Amino acid sequence: MWKISSSSSRSQFRIRRSPPTATWSLRCVEDIVFEKNCEQERRRKSVGRFGFYFPTMINFVLLISRQGKVRLTKWYSTYSQKERTKVIRELSGVILSRGPKLCNFVEWRGYKVVYRRYASLYFCMCIDPDDNELEILEIIHHFVEILDRYFGSVCELDLIFNFHKAYYILDEILLAGELQESSKKTVARLIAAQDSLVETAKEQASSISNIIAQATK
Amino acid sequence: MNNFGLDIARLGFPYHHSALSDPCPRVCEAKVAKLEQLKTIGRELAMGSQGGWGQTKEFLDLVKSIGEARSKAEEDRIVLREIDTLRRRLADPDVPRRRMKEYLIRLVYVEMLGHDASFGHIHAVKMTHDESLAVKRTGYLAVTLFLSDDHDLIILIVNTIQKDLRSDNYLVVSAALVAVCKLINEETIPAVLPQVVELLGHPKEAVRKKAVMALHRFYQRSPASVAHLVSNFKKKLCDPDPGVMGATLCPLFDLISADTNSYKDLIVSLISILKQVAERRLPKTYDYHQMPAPFIQIKLLKILALLGSGDKEASGHMYTVLGDIFRKAEHSTNIGNAILYECICCVSSIYPNPKSIEAAAAATSKFLKSESHNLKYMGIDALSRLIKINPDIAEEHQLAVIDCLEDPDDTLKRKTFELLYKMTKSTNVEVIVDRMIDYMISINDSHYKTEIASRCVELAEQYAPSNQWFIQTMNKVFEHAGDLVNIRVAHNLMRLIAEGFGGEDESADSQLRSSAVDSYLRILGEPKLPSVFLQVICWVLGEYGTADGRYSASYIIGKLCDVAEAHLSDDTVKAYAISSIMKICSFEIAAGRKLEILPECQSLIDELSASHSTDLQQRAYELQALLGLNSGAVEAVMPSDASCEDFEVDRSLSFLNSFVQQSIEKGAQPYIPENERSGIVDIGNFKGQYQQEASTHSLRFEAYELPKPSVIPPPTFEPSIPLSATTDLVPVPEPTAYTKDAHRASTKMPSSTDALSADVGVRLRLDGVQKKWGKPTYSSSPSASSSTSSASQNATNGLTHTDGGGGSVSLQTRETSHDSRRQQQAEVSAEKQRLAASLFGASSVAKAEKKPPTAAQKAPKAAAATKEKAATTTTTTVPSTPPPDLLDLGDPTSSDTPLDDPFKQLEGLLGSTAAASPGIINPPAAPASKAPDLMAIFTEAPTGVSHSSIDPGLSEIYSINKSSHIVATKKGPNSQDALQKDATARQVGVTPTGNNPNLFRDLLG
């Protein structure tokens, strides 16, 4: 009995050495590849709660002010509230501390975050590592130009008080994490249509209620 | 919504106008006083019912107070109070709908700030049922922001979505489709799929586009659900609206990346679309910064890269259009560069063609030579793609790459390391891994540290030129990133040391071991070693500490006792230490030497015998028992240097069969395997079943299994004995790792051959490595180093020469310090050259020497590079000059543009109707005032240099100027707008001079 236990504890590093050549290194690489896959898998699983991974182009959009205040967030992958808070805290730490002349890209937990600063507002988008960063940079600019056109020389205050409108606009530009419309005019037209319809609907509603009110009198 | 506040503001403007244009100062003063009065009236009015942005006072107050919050705690307090209010309000049964809408927006705001507002989610769902579009839209917005696709409330929305998808108002349909993209999950896809497909033929292009995107999302959630719709996507590619066509590229990209072969028929049409786009056939509205539909171009290029990969014929069609795009794309704009980058990616992915590779290489070199960090980054990335096709391309950019490697920008540095990682060969592995380790030591980010550590290990294992180097490298990795390194790496290192290198030369192996022991004994003196590394050290010392006879057993045992004592809380390390002590003791006993147990060792044994950990206890008792045995028995139990020998474990414990038989004959109960015992709740099985049920998510309708007759099985011990797994060389102490590994080993075993054959891509090139591993040093190193040093000398000579010629005019005035600095620079460049040579191989240097013209070209280039370097170093030494970056004007710390009260600006603006808006944001003014400063600072330096250092900034400003100018002209009454907004802001009560003046700054300024 004793022998078994002692040799088992000793055998912890005994190696089945089937091919006697330098297979160890082969196995190492294999293991590393496996580990890497695991890591990726884990990462992806941490994104989707059910273990799905959606290969979206943009994982989330974040607007933070110079002081680290959140102005707008839009999540295209699934993050829990806790994760969201953590992401925002981490990223604002990283991005706000970067100098002006550096890249507009930050590698972050295996993802890339592309950010761009406008006045005191940082627009950040998190993308998969093999996407085209310059394109994302231009998507951000595209968004800002549309905001600018909509609000008429947009400033941070517009976005603070009208964040819901900014959301509507963002929904017309990005859908399911992809750029859905690259024509500024089309987006502007759609947003205008929505706004005007809301207005007319309101007028109609009031007029109808008036009519009803009068009729019931 | 009624913009009451804004109206007030508008009313105010004429008044301002007249007041401020009044020439008489006294009148003006009086009017300013009146103005103040008016302002307060306006503010009160605004507070009364509605503010300038159409929200109630409450909401504005909320936003304002959060904006003014001094600390996170204060903000949290405000938000919690708000949550309280909202909870109360929402509970009220008859809230007017308009009010409700605002409450929801407030909820969104609260949740955006990171607080939980789940109590209001149901109200958002309710609002989607509303008739009015305005309310419905808000409801959908809130729902998409609140809920994820696995939320329980989704089921309540599906019905509404179905109804809305059928609406005859296209805006309702669009809103529903946006919600579909976010909320519909795998289970609910069938409920809306037919309607979404129908909407592909909707007359409004906005709806068609969103329907395509929704299908794209469905595909991502559950590929099978949309598989039959592929033809629809292909059809939508020909949609008359370019927006719909562009959107269709998204699902196509996903489909094609999953299965390239079935979409080869699209190549021709995709190429023709790309050609048309590049030739500006699309409507002007799709232009972006004078580029024709760049986002569509990029998407097309991505798809083509997939389709052309490894397909010579398909790639053949692409070369012309790629060439066209290369020619047309502009280097001056960001978007032009984005397209170029995508082209490079495409070229490097499809079947190589010399001409397009040449174009790609040219574009890459433009990226690398650019001043912008972004472009350098893209250049490095592009280079790492291109060297896969042609490794020689990298040579040309040696210096640029090294500049990037030494750049203070972390992102760029990491990208460069990625490039180096990809171009590692056995000739440059030492330099690269050393660099990587240096960098690894310098960073804190554990995620990246792990990554770079694993890369170091991987490279070292693949290309190590010598054993010595390998062990040293691993030591460094372990020392600095020990706990981040996978435990497997440690096992591999132990295995390597134990097995040697498989050569016949045993002496080399033992030399390796004694050098490992030496280095470990040295390292043990250092404080705070990571646990993983200590395990390796203990193991190696135990196996080989006394093998070469240079260290006495008691010395090694003493060291091991120190380790165990210093890491009281780490059971694993202690277990390793005690096992190692046991090994050394048994070697000593087996060799017939007298072994005296040191007092500290004895106390360690005593301590561990009383340990809470059974594992440690067992080890201690084993050691105790071993010490009492004679040498023959010890030899048998612990053979020396036998860690590599095969170890047979009798899994079925067949040697006990006779004993079992005997017992049964004597009337003992036979063993019943656990899973066949009745009456015992089988937890394992239960769990399995539960999981299965959870995954299917549905009721089970099949009948229960028939109960098994309780047949008494033949006695076997097989399944329940956990010992069986210990054969797998996993360290026992860590229970979690242990089970996991054992599990993995067992799951992996059947398919290990498959894995091996599938792994060809990452398999080692053993042919080259074998040579490197042996004793003879690799052949080219001495000659290479000598040639590199001579080359670098040459370079320094050339450099000093040119520099002396160029700077002779001002030489007299310069101090010696400058000279020394220059010498330093020269040295730096020599250093760089050397680095380049070692990174990119001696071959390039040799080539350069062979071809004098290129060498001559290279020398001035190097000189230029150092000059630039000098410029940058001097600039960095001056702390108080922020680079003239326009986008940075908002920085509160360095904002030297006076931000007066906007009302004063207003005065100025309205007083003189001339369009000059003083100082709201006047882009050219700031840099112009800064540039002379810079010049003044650099008067000592050659002017050319300072020019070059400022130039990029200036050009950037110019370009921004240009664009802002365009924007301004487009926008019309720009400042007027801003002023109006400012006025409304004031009425709301937010003052720009208060907490944050930047709030009022034009984002695109």
Side-chain angles (χ1 to χ4, degrees):
Chain A
M1 224 37 222
W2 186 82
K3 170 156 180 177
I4 293 170
S5 64
S6 99
S7 42
S8 76
S9 72
R10 171 156 161 71
S11 76
Q12 47 183 311
F13 296 113
R14 299 213 162 179
I15 293 144
R16 219 164 261 285
R17 197 183 186 186
S18 16
T21 45
T23 44
W24 63 271
S25 42
L26 223 167
R27 269 192 74 170
C28 304
V29 176
E30 196 188 308
D31 288 343
I32 288 166
V33 169
F34 177 82
E35 280 308 314
K36 231 188 227 165
N37 290 343
C38 280
E39 161 70 27
Q40 266 169 14
E41 204 51 39
R42 228 172 294 138
R43 207 187 69 204
R44 291 179 174 184
K45 277 189 179 152
S46 73
V47 172
R49 233 155 81 196
F50 274 167
F52 299 132
Y53 169 65
F54 308 126
T56 47
M57 185 169 80
I58 296 163
N59 291 296
F60 56 79
V61 177
L62 208 63
L63 266 66
I64 11 180
S65 75
R66 184 92 187 82
Q67 288 80 22
K69 294 200 167 159
V70 183
R71 297 301 184 208
L72 189 143
T73 57
K74 182 94 188 175
W75 309 86
Y76 293 105
S77 307
T78 311
Y79 290 82
S80 70
Q81 188 72 34
K82 219 181 207 169
E83 283 170 325
R84 291 178 183 188
T85 322
K86 196 163 169 245
V87 166
I88 292 170
R89 201 179 43 230
E90 266 182 40
L91 273 184
S92 51
V94 173
I95 289 171
L96 296 181
S97 62
R98 276 176 75 82
K101 272 274 176 186
L102 306 182
C103 289
N104 290 72
F105 324 127
V106 180
E107 277 175 34
W108 172 79
R109 294 180 183 215
Y111 291 102
K112 269 187 280 193
V113 176
V114 177
Y115 69 92
R116 191 158 178 172
R117 182 179 171 168
Y118 292 91
S120 61
L121 202 57
Y122 286 83
F123 288 66
C124 318
M125 289 189 184
C126 171
I127 54 169
D128 289 337
D130 39 3
D131 256 323
N132 184 341
E133 292 90 346
L134 289 179
E135 185 198 0
I136 303 295
L137 215 51
E138 290 311 297
I139 289 179
I140 292 176
H141 195 71
H142 181 61
F143 178 40
V144 176
E145 281 185 354
I146 291 171
L147 284 176
D148 193 66
R149 194 181 276 197
Y150 180 78
F151 287 107
S153 56
V154 64
C155 66
E156 195 178 333
L157 212 62
D158 289 318
L159 297 183
I160 295 174
F161 286 102
N162 288 305
F163 63 91
H164 56 291
K165 291 203 171 134
Y167 274 122
Y168 290 135
I169 293 172
L170 189 60
D171 276 343
E172 290 301 326
I173 298 170
L174 297 177
L175 196 56
E178 299 269 4
L179 184 72
Q180 64 153 326
E181 183 57 71
S182 56
S183 155
K184 266 172 255 173
K185 202 171 166 192
T186 312
V187 174
R189 212 173 46 221
L190 276 169
I191 293 287
Q194 285 175 12
D195 281 355
S196 70
L197 206 91
V198 168
E199 290 294 325
T200 52
K202 212 175 288 159
E203 276 163 24
Q204 269 176 7
S206 57
S207 62
I208 287 171
S209 66
N210 283 344
I211 293 164
I212 292 169
Q214 280 169 1
T216 47
K217 248 177 200 173
Chain B
M1 206 160 281
N2 180 12
N3 284 349
F4 196 30
L6 215 98
D7 286 343
I8 295 288
R10 277 186 196 132
L11 280 177
F13 269 115
Y15 188 75
H16 280 245
H17 196 283
S18 58
L20 302 168
S21 56
D22 201 312
C24 171
R26 230 179 340 150
V27 176
C28 190
E29 225 169 77
K31 288 194 174 171
V32 165
K34 229 175 193 177
L35 193 97
E36 279 298 318
Q37 216 178 348
L38 192 97
K39 250 194 306 191
T40 45
I41 292 169
R43 193 177 301 166
E44 270 155 24
L45 270 172
M47 297 289 189
S49 67
Q50 291 200 336
W53 285 279
Q55 287 90 1
T56 58
K57 173 182 173 291
E58 270 179 352
F59 177 70
L60 298 176
D61 276 353
L62 169 72
V63 175
K64 212 176 72 168
S65 57
I66 285 174
E68 284 164 3
R70 297 264 164 227
S71 65
K72 182 79 185 138
E74 192 182 339
E75 186 190 303
D76 286 348
R77 238 184 351 264
I78 295 166
V79 174
L80 287 177
R81 205 166 52 222
E82 172 72 10
I83 287 178
D84 241 30
T85 324
L86 284 175
R87 202 192 297 268
R88 242 182 306 117
R89 296 275 171 80
L90 285 171
D92 191 4
D94 37 45
V95 190
R97 285 195 336 225
R98 285 263 304 279
R99 268 294 154 78
M100 196 68 179
K101 193 175 134 195
E102 199 200 276
Y103 292 153
L104 266 193
I105 288 175
R106 275 154 72 176
L107 268 182
V108 169
Y109 192 72
V110 163
E111 201 149 270
M112 192 169 82
L113 293 176
H115 292 262
D116 177 55
S118 50
F119 63 89
H121 292 179
I122 185 70
H123 296 283
V125 173
K126 265 196 240 160
M127 266 183 81
T128 58
H129 306 332
D130 200 284
E131 291 293 309
S132 132
L133 175 63
V135 180
K136 190 189 265 302
R137 200 163 70 126
T138 313
Y140 272 130
L141 177 70
V143 166
T144 51
L145 291 171
F146 287 151
L147 308 182
S148 59
D149 65 334
D150 52 344
H151 201 280
D152 297 335
L153 290 175
I154 298 290
I155 211 77
L156 294 177
I157 307 173
V158 173
N159 209 357
T160 321
I161 289 180
Q162 279 178 323
K163 207 180 86 208
D164 287 343
L165 287 179
R166 254 179 264 128
S167 164
D168 51 359
N169 184 342
Y170 79 99
L171 291 173
V172 173
V173 182
S174 309
L177 277 173
V178 171
V180 162
C181 284
K182 170 81 189 178
L183 299 175
I184 295 296
N185 55 26
E186 209 179 338
E187 285 163 40
T188 38
I189 286 176
V192 293
L193 184 62
Q195 283 169 330
V196 175
V197 174
E198 213 171 283
L199 289 175
L200 285 177
H202 197 276
K204 276 281 179 187
E205 64 277 354
V207 173
R208 292 201 301 269
K209 184 176 67 194
K210 288 200 168 70
V212 169
M213 296 303 279
L215 288 176
H216 165 56
R217 193 63 164 176
F218 292 166
Y219 174 77
Q220 289 179 346
R221 306 254 145 138
S222 142
S225 64
V226 212
H228 60 286
L229 295 170
V230 172
S231 62
N232 294 50
F233 289 138
K234 287 184 183 174
K235 222 187 290 160
K236 280 293 123 189
L237 210 50
C238 311
D239 196 280
D241 183 69
V244 181
M245 185 271 288
T248 315
L249 297 175
C250 298
L252 275 179
F253 177 76
D254 278 7
L255 285 167
I256 291 171
S257 53
D259 170 25
T260 326
N261 285 332
S262 20
Y263 297 89
K264 295 281 186 194
D265 56 323
L266 283 179
I267 292 176
V268 177
S269 42
L270 287 173
I271 289 175
S272 85
I273 293 175
L274 181 57
K275 206 175 275 169
Q276 290 174 41
V277 173
E279 284 166 4
R280 296 178 184 274
R281 299 277 189 80
L282 286 190
K284 265 265 181 269
T285 54
Y286 282 86
D287 281 11
Y288 177 85
H289 294 191
Q290 280 87 49
M291 289 298 287
F295 298 107
I296 292 176
Q297 281 193 48
I298 288 172
K299 204 84 203 172
L300 281 165
L301 285 167
K302 277 182 184 163
I303 295 177
L304 288 180
L306 286 176
L307 285 172
S309 161
D311 185 338
K312 192 172 179 182
E313 199 201 322
S315 308
H317 299 295
M318 300 174 193
Y319 298 137
T320 357
V321 70
L322 283 175
D324 280 353
I325 295 174
F326 267 123
R327 231 175 305 115
K328 279 179 190 160
E330 283 177 57
H331 279 281
S332 55
T333 59
N334 217 348
I335 193 69
N337 287 321
I339 294 176
L340 276 174
Y341 169 76
E342 209 53 60
C343 273
I344 297 170
C345 293
C346 185
V347 165
S348 64
S349 158
I350 63 176
Y351 190 87
N353 165 272
K355 223 173 174 185
S356 30
I357 288 177
E358 205 175 287
T364 308
S365 74
K366 265 192 192 149
F367 281 168
L368 283 168
K369 280 174 195 147
S370 148
E371 280 297 317
S372 148
H373 272 68
N374 287 350
L375 290 186
K376 275 188 194 167
Y377 178 93
M378 301 313 269
I380 294 279
D381 188 274
L383 194 59
S384 70
R385 285 167 195 272
L386 286 176
I387 55 166
K388 272 187 231 156
I389 303 169
N390 181 6
D392 298 338
I393 294 175
E395 271 170 31
E396 194 191 321
H397 304 295
Q398 297 177 11
L399 291 175
V401 170
I402 288 164
D403 271 341
C404 291
L405 195 62
E406 279 160 6
D407 200 275
D409 187 350
D410 252 7
T411 313
L412 192 54
K413 214 178 229 175
R414 290 179 187 187
K415 196 80 200 171
T416 317
F417 274 120
E418 209 172 291
L419 170 70
L420 292 183
Y421 167 73
K422 283 182 184 156
M423 52 180 256
T424 308
K425 291 172 284 196
S426 43
T427 44
N428 57 11
V429 64
E430 287 170 82
V431 190
I432 290 178
V433 172
D434 281 353
R435 284 252 156 189
M436 281 183 167
I437 289 176
D438 284 347
Y439 180 62
M440 185 185 80
I441 294 169
S442 70
I443 57 172
N444 292 322
D445 170 7
S446 66
H447 182 91
Y448 193 69
K449 213 168 183 166
T450 317
E451 198 178 313
I452 201 167
S454 75
R455 279 186 175 169
C456 285
V457 171
E458 194 180 328
L459 291 179
E461 282 174 348
Q462 277 195 54
Y463 300 109
S466 74
N467 309 331
Q468 207 83 21
W469 179 85
F470 179 75
I471 287 184
Q472 273 167 14
T473 308
M474 296 310 264
N475 286 353
K476 267 191 233 159
V477 173
F478 275 120
E479 220 178 311
H480 297 288
D483 291 326
L484 300 171
V485 179
N486 195 296
I487 187 82
R488 212 160 290 283
V489 177
H491 293 171
N492 283 331
L493 179 59
M494 293 186 229
R495 207 183 301 180
L496 163 77
I497 294 172
E499 289 190 348
F501 302 102
E504 293 76 47
D505 194 0
E506 268 300 316
S507 71
D509 288 354
S510 57
Q511 212 180 334
L512 162 75
R513 286 165 195 158
S514 38
S515 74
V517 169
D518 277 346
S519 64
Y520 289 156
L521 283 173
R522 202 169 45 242
I523 286 169
L524 267 185
E526 284 173 29
K528 279 196 183 171
L529 290 171
S531 163
V532 181
F533 192 32
L534 281 168
Q535 292 166 27
V536 177
I537 292 177
C538 287
W539 189 83
V540 171
L541 289 184
E543 286 283 340
Y544 304 108
T546 55
D548 60 352
R550 280 189 300 145
Y551 299 102
S552 72
S554 56
Y555 177 70
I556 302 281
I557 289 177
K559 283 279 180 191
L560 287 168
C561 288
D562 289 347
V563 171
E565 254 164 55
H567 298 84
L568 282 177
S569 54
D570 193 338
D571 277 0
T572 322
V573 171
K574 276 200 283 191
Y576 270 86
I578 188 99
S579 291
S580 299
I581 292 173
M582 178 157 65
K583 282 178 207 163
I584 294 202
C585 290
S586 58
F587 297 157
E588 287 297 294
I589 295 170
R593 281 190 287 266
K594 195 175 172 305
L595 176 85
E596 27 182 301
I597 296 297
L598 301 169
E600 67 244 45
C601 180
Q602 189 57 49
S603 70
L604 179 70
I605 295 173
D606 293 344
E607 186 207 318
L608 294 188
S609 312
S611 164
H612 284 298
S613 153
T614 47
D615 177 59
L616 289 181
Q617 248 187 50
Q618 190 190 7
R619 283 165 200 268
Y621 279 118
E622 280 171 15
L623 174 55
Q624 197 85 51
L626 190 110
L627 292 174
L629 292 177
N630 65 12
S631 65
V634 170
E635 172 86 70
V637 174
M638 283 276 184
S640 166
D641 190 20
S643 58
C644 300
E645 256 135 58
D646 261 347
F647 197 81
E648 288 297 327
V649 167
D650 191 354
R651 282 175 193 242
S652 62
L653 302 181
S654 56
F655 63 93
L656 287 172
N657 278 356
S658 61
F659 174 75
V660 172
Q661 206 59 39
Q662 241 174 0
S663 308
I664 291 175
E665 273 162 21
K666 278 181 194 159
Q669 283 284 320
Y671 175 75
I672 305 168
E674 214 173 346
N675 49 5
E676 289 174 37
R677 273 175 245 177
S678 55
I680 301 167
V681 180
D682 192 337
I683 294 170
N685 243 350
F686 177 72
K687 210 171 168 187
Q689 233 171 39
Y690 177 76
Q691 275 170 355
Q692 208 175 25
E693 261 164 35
S695 68
T696 52
H697 257 307
S698 55
L699 290 173
R700 295 178 51 181
F701 294 107
E702 68 269 30
Y704 287 116
E705 281 171 27
L706 287 174
K708 267 189 193 149
S710 56
V711 182
I712 295 163
T716 47
F717 282 89
E718 241 177 282
S720 65
I721 294 174
L723 241 185
S724 59
T726 47
T727 45
D728 264 299
L729 66 110
V730 189
V732 187
E734 242 176 2
T736 50
Y738 164 72
T739 47
K740 199 173 67 197
D741 283 2
H743 179 68
R744 232 202 74 207
S746 64
T747 51
K748 226 181 152 187
M749 234 177 293
S751 64
S752 66
T753 49
D754 288 5
L756 267 180
S757 59
D759 256 19
V760 183
V762 288
R763 187 173 284 191
L764 289 182
R765 281 168 292 150
L766 285 172
D767 42 350
V769 181
Q770 193 80 356
K771 242 182 274 161
K772 303 290 168 212
W773 281 112
K775 205 179 176 188
T777 54
Y778 61 107
S779 54
S780 61
S781 82
S783 64
S785 62
S786 68
S787 70
T788 51
S789 64
S790 71
S792 57
Q793 258 172 8
N794 272 358
T796 46
N797 284 347
L799 183 85
T800 42
H801 205 74
T802 49
D803 214 357
S808 61
V809 188
S810 49
L811 249 181
Q812 293 96 332
T813 54
R814 249 173 254 166
E815 259 73 49
T816 46
S817 68
H818 192 80
D819 263 0
S820 72
R821 199 201 297 160
R822 190 160 21 111
Q823 232 166 27
Q824 214 177 342
Q825 286 155 18
E827 230 163 75
V828 165
S829 101
E831 183 96 324
K832 235 192 245 172
Q833 292 266 341
R834 213 171 299 139
L835 183 61
S838 53
L839 279 179
F840 295 87
S843 63
S844 64
V845 181
K847 235 185 254 168
E849 277 173 349
K850 256 184 240 160
K851 287 183 271 177
T854 50
Q857 274 172 359
K858 239 170 218 173
K861 209 201 280 172
T866 43
K867 252 189 205 168
E868 269 173 23
K869 182 115 191 174
T872 50
T873 45
T874 40
T875 41
T876 47
T877 50
V878 184
S880 62
T881 51
D885 189 347
L886 233 208
L887 293 177
D888 259 355
L889 277 176
D891 197 328
T893 52
S894 67
S895 81
D896 35 6
T897 44
L899 239 184
D900 297 337
D901 192 332
F903 266 77
K904 288 206 187 104
Q905 292 166 6
L906 186 96
E907 288 168 34
L909 181 77
L910 294 169
S912 59
T913 35
S917 58
I920 286 186
I921 286 179
N922 204 351
S929 64
K930 265 182 203 165
D933 275 0
L934 273 177
M935 299 297 247
I937 289 157
F938 292 122
T939 39
E940 203 197 78
T943 46
V945 173
S946 62
H947 260 308
S948 73
S949 73
I950 294 168
D951 249 350
L954 279 177
S955 64
E956 203 178 303
I957 288 155
Y958 282 137
S959 65
I960 288 166
N961 255 353
K962 236 189 282 165
S963 65
S964 70
H965 192 70
I966 290 161
V967 170
T969 47
K970 255 190 234 160
K971 248 189 306 195
N974 182 356
S975 36
Q976 204 85 8
D977 268 357
L979 286 170
Q980 279 186 4
K981 228 181 278 168
D982 185 74
T984 23
R986 280 175 167 279
Q987 272 151 7
V988 171
V990 187
T991 42
T993 43
N995 208 358
N996 183 6
N998 293 316
L999 293 180
F1000 291 85
R1001 184 145 293 153
D1002 279 7
L1003 293 182
L1004 276 176

